[in-house]
Amino acid sequence: MKVDRRPGSGVAKIHIEDDGSYFQVSQDGGMKKLEKAKISLDDCLACSGCVTSAETVLITQQSHEELRKVLGANKTAAPDQQKLVVISVSPQSRASLAVRFQLNPTDTARKLTAFFKKIGAHYVFDTAFSRNFSLLESQREFVRRFRGQANPEQALPVLTSACPGWICYAEKTHGSTLLPHISTARSPQQVMGSLVKDFFAQQQRLTPDKVYHVTVMPCYDKKLEASRPDFFSQEHQTRDVDCVITTGEVSKLLEEEGVSLAELEPAPLDSLYVVTGRVGRAVSSPSTGCSPPGCPKGPDGWQKGPRPLTQALAASLFPRLASLGPSCASVSKMLELPTTGRWSSELTLTSHRSELPGQVVRQGGQSFASQASSRHTFKALGSMAHLRLRKQTLSNLRQRLLRGLGGQRPQHHLRPGLFPRCSSASAQEPTSHRGGGSGGYLEHVFRHAAQELFGIHVTEVTYRPLRNKDLQEVILEREGQVLLHFAAAYGFRNIQNLVQKLKRGRCPYHYVEVMACPAGCLNGGGQLKAPDTPGKELLQQVERLYGLVRTEAPEDAAGVQELYECWLQGAGSERAGRLLHTSYHAVEKAGSGLSIRW
Amino acid sequence: MKDSLVLLSRILAHPDSRCWFLAWNPAGTLLASCGGDRSVRIWGREGDSWVCRSVLCEGHQRTVRKVAWSPCGNYLASASFDATTCIWKKNEDDFECVTTLEGHENEVKSVAWAPSGNLLATCSRDKSVWVWEVDEEDEYECVSVLNSHTQDVKHVVWHPSQELLASASYDDTVKLYREEEDDWVCCATLEGHESTVWSLAFDPSGQRLASCSDDRTVRIWRQYLPGNEQGVACSGSEASWKCVCTLSGFHSRTIYDVAWCQLTGALATACGDDAIRVFEEDPGSDPQQPTFSLTAHVPQAHSQDVNCVAWNPKERGLLASCSDDGELAFWKYQPSEGI
């Protein structure tokens, strides 16, 4: 193969166009299209060093530059071409940014929200919320597998699934040996993908491809995870997570905007789900100075007072009730709720997102009832309401409606009436989970299993370090007998030893929290570095700031039970299985060049 | 000089195949050889000749590239292109594969035992160096995976008395590693060679390291501890290594192996020009700037590339060599007086 070499100093910059053509960018910015080099079998050394392997390409396709492109396109696109931009931030990335800018976690979260909205995002969420689901599913799954109630092929130990670096390694290197052991629970990133593209998109009455979902993560492997075919919707031709950017890339975005996070005015936090008087809605608080069109302002800028229940609304919320015949007035009377005959555009809570001047995403407010896509969510609610109606007295029903479906003790202050004020409804502080900076899987599954399987309540989990600080074990003992033997194995060398033990049938653990990075996610490859601070010290600071966030049990987190009921139709349902779990695929090893028969 | 290195005998150790490497056991009574025929052979002396005592052929699926005896002499490790390292336990003339170390992504290029006998190092074309620990029950666990090199790692060797590991690579550098807290770290990088570094050997004291390269030179590196008299700069509490001698102009092709005799201090080299050479440090040469002279040169030691040279640890002047032609040769080195 003849190579046309041009002498020159410095490294060439290559730019890949959307159509896959390559351009060389010279120092003055000039672009020159590069010829495609053709390689024949004769040139192949079968060296297994192929750069054409998808991974490098996949990683470069997702970057902060990609995000910029989408945000830029949104600004000038026609309304029906615009996308709703949602950014989900991981608590680990937030902790890293908090250290860099010397802020507490709450301020970091609020200022990040302000920043992302400033550059064109519409909603900013926290993946600690979706992590609740990952933890709950992991807990349930372990107990099932321990009791032998799951698929007989799925033996113990159970190995965690949240780390894509680990998953890629397991699929490539040990295929059939390891995959049956890996938890099927989706990672917080991918649960958020389901939440945003299924629940939230429906709520916004958008098809999933009209939502551009970005996540901010502490490593690059999360980009690979987002590109997995299992997380691509064939029906809507869209990924659950469209773009993953690392903490480092957020820092670049801030630099490019000439903004220091510390200087920004904090914005109120968004919640994906808020327990409301009637039914949960994503609530976005606008940045200062803006308000959505058609919304009469109260002293704090928002509509006050209960919303009127119109016939259209009642019919859409309770289609079965409506089909039974009662008119809007009767329904309202039954439920003792205020009504008016007038259709008000303020009913569209979802239009209460921050819209900066010149960045209108959708024209006007659109009614709930007029969107066919809304039917799905409402149908579910409607049938549930119907069942409840049958089972409960009307006064009970009213209580339930006011408190939110699911009957849980409400976590937030609720005003009687259908729609709360936005500013009081969303939590203004981030929450987190116990058990370390990689999500707390071991901790939560251990405590839940101890309770469920043995009736033992564990208050404090004691970690015992083994041969190195990235390998720790936890034991539940009773009268000298070991009931549960769990471990956390971080870093490649510990993964190696774990896998070898497994292969030889000598693994003593029931559950192992596996993370590819030594010290876990807080030390991920995409986290911010500090030139003046040694790595160890920096990590300690990040761990400290991560630990400042208030923790709560996943089953207690606001909105979780409600979403299980109204979005998933119950934990353990087919929907829950589809949206909160995934599967793995062994990668066939390509034979070495010597074994291939040419 | 022609009489300094005399051929004792020649054996076709690995017929129709390359003989890649040789290792004497600590007692100097057995010689292990390995080759492209996927086997390891154990040779023992019977009178004046060497005979094959055992053939270990069931261990590997591909070429066996290196073999190494444990310090106690009861175990033999074999590193193979099939990405595994076998540990063989000796029981008289029988060797049993007690464990197979897996984990490298591709060809394992070298294996070496630490003087303590508790640690083993392997290196691979996957650019990594692995440190393994063996416990009383012959269980091996990976202690560290070191990814300092940027290319194929060709050779690993341990310091004769300290737990210090050295590696040589296609990236033209030599790297040194030591334990720090619960992990291993790269504590020095020796730059100077202009091409692949193929092999390494420590001198008997461990104060100097010899490296040989595709750039046709042998370099001698000396360790300088912090606060050394010579005023060589050190970073913090880390020792520094400086190249104090370069042997160039002697070899006409790639130098594949270098061996430093622990008894006499003589330096032997295996070269791609089919020759074997021996060097000795000039008496009275300045330790900070040593000079070496060529004391033996056998131009057609083998009919093809010489891959390995190995000094017998107990018998002065006994040198073994092997080649791409599959042959194994024994030599007697007797430098004439008054060079």
Side-chain angles (χ1 to χ4, degrees), chain A residues 467 469 493 497 501 506, chain B residues 100 139 141-143 182:
Chain A
R467 62 162 53 244
K469 57 183 170 328
R493 57 186 172 157
N497 291 329
K501 284 203 173 73
R506 314 194 48 180
Chain B
T100 303
E139 291 291 318
E141 282 214 335
C142 171
V143 162
D182 64 1

Side-chain angles (χ1 to χ4, degrees), chain B residues 122-134:
Chain B
T122 56
C123 67
S124 161
R125 181 167 69 81
D126 68 10
K127 306 174 200 164
S128 67
V129 172
W130 291 41
V131 181
W132 306 78
E133 195 173 67
V134 52

Side-chain angles (χ1 to χ4, degrees), chain A residues 30 80 144 416 427 434 595:
Chain A
D80 62 339
R144 258 195 342 259
R434 293 165 54 150
S595 62

Side-chain angles (χ1 to χ4, degrees), chain A residues 65-301:
Chain A
E65 276 150 15
E66 254 314 295
L67 173 59
R68 277 218 172 282
K69 255 169 63 177
V70 172
L71 293 173
N74 243 10
K75 280 192 194 149
T76 54
D80 62 339
Q81 292 301 310
Q82 283 167 356
K83 299 207 177 187
L84 187 71
V85 180
V86 174
I87 303 194
S88 302
V89 183
S90 70
Q92 293 87 354
S93 295
R94 185 182 59 220
S96 179
L97 285 159
V99 169
R100 162 70 64 88
F101 293 99
Q102 306 268 292
L103 299 165
N104 65 52
T106 305
D107 284 341
T108 311
R110 290 171 166 207
K111 289 173 190 249
L112 265 175
T113 303
F115 174 67
F116 286 131
K117 292 192 175 181
K118 181 176 190 290
I119 60 173
H122 301 100
Y123 286 87
V124 182
F125 299 132
D126 183 351
T127 62
F129 180 71
S130 52
R131 191 163 68 189
N132 288 307
F133 295 88
S134 302
L135 290 167
L136 288 169
E137 292 302 307
S138 299
Q139 287 175 193
R140 282 191 258 262
E141 180 193 31
F142 176 74
V143 165
R144 258 195 342 259
R145 302 232 307 222
F146 189 91
R147 285 179 172 149
Q149 289 163 358
N151 187 332
E153 285 171 358
Q154 291 178 324
L156 297 180
V158 174
L159 309 174
T160 55
S161 55
C163 174
W166 151 238
I167 299 299
C168 286
Y169 174 72
E171 286 181 325
K172 260 197 250 183
T173 322
H174 300 284
S176 44
T177 325
L178 287 180
L179 299 188
H181 292 276
I182 302 184
S183 160
T184 56
R186 284 195 187 200
S187 69
Q189 168 171 283
Q190 298 305 144
V191 169
M192 192 57 106
S194 289
L195 276 166
V196 167
K197 293 277 180 134
D198 190 274
F199 171 72
F200 181 67
Q202 272 178 32
Q203 244 204 26
Q204 299 292 308
R205 297 181 321 279
L206 294 169
T207 51
D209 57 305
K210 284 282 189 279
V211 177
Y212 190 75
H213 185 205
V214 182
T215 62
V216 178
M217 289 288 149
C219 71
Y220 290 88
D221 285 333
K222 283 288 175 188
K223 297 185 189 233
L224 293 177
E225 185 180 35
S227 315
R228 287 174 72 89
D230 308 83
F231 302 134
F232 179 80
S233 160
Q234 287 294 341
E235 186 190 345
H236 300 284
Q237 289 293 299
T238 186
R239 292 207 285 245
D240 290 347
V241 175
D242 295 290
C243 181
V244 179
I245 55 175
T246 63
T247 323
E249 290 178 293
V250 171
S251 176
K252 279 208 198 111
L253 281 170
L254 285 161
E255 265 173 47
E256 284 169 12
E257 289 292 307
V259 159
S260 162
L261 200 63
E263 293 161 4
L264 285 169
E265 275 299 305
L269 301 178
D270 293 336
S271 292
L272 188 78
Y273 188 95
V274 166
V275 177
T276 71
R278 177 64 64 99
V279 67
R281 286 285 178 271
V283 171
S284 163
S285 312
S287 344
T288 341
C290 303
S291 64
C295 180
K297 288 185 190 181
D300 65 347

Side-chain angles (χ1 to χ4, degrees), chain B residues 166-288:
Chain B
S167 64
S169 165
Y170 181 57
D171 69 9
D172 308 349
T173 70
V174 174
K175 284 183 185 274
L176 296 161
Y177 313 86
R178 60 171 179 76
E179 199 172 6
E180 190 175 84
E181 288 182 17
D182 64 1
D183 205 354
W184 283 72
V185 295
C186 173
C187 56
T189 300
L190 313 188
E191 287 167 328
H193 278 297
E194 288 159 21
S195 189
T196 304
V197 187
W198 279 100
S199 192
L200 300 164
F202 278 98
D203 78 346
S205 71
Q207 229 176 357
R208 293 182 302 186
L209 177 66
S211 59
C212 65
S213 164
D214 177 61
D215 69 4
R216 293 169 277 133
T217 70
V218 172
R219 282 173 195 253
I220 312 292
W221 310 81
R222 191 187 176 87
Q223 183 184 43
Y224 289 92
L225 299 171
N228 60 80
E229 289 173 355
Q230 291 75 28
V232 174
C234 292
S235 146
S237 55
E238 212 66 76
S240 223
W241 291 76
K242 215 176 97 171
C243 179
V244 293
C245 176
T246 303
L247 301 176
S248 55
F250 296 98
H251 301 79
S252 57
R253 291 268 163 87
T254 306
I255 312 170
Y256 290 113
D257 197 19
V258 61
W260 213 323
C261 183
Q262 304 294 292
L263 296 173
T264 66
L267 206 58
T269 61
C271 188
D273 62 8
D274 311 346
I276 295 174
R277 295 170 179 79
V278 182
F279 297 83
E280 296 233 41
E281 192 171 354
D282 297 331
S285 80
D286 176 8
Q288 320 310 328

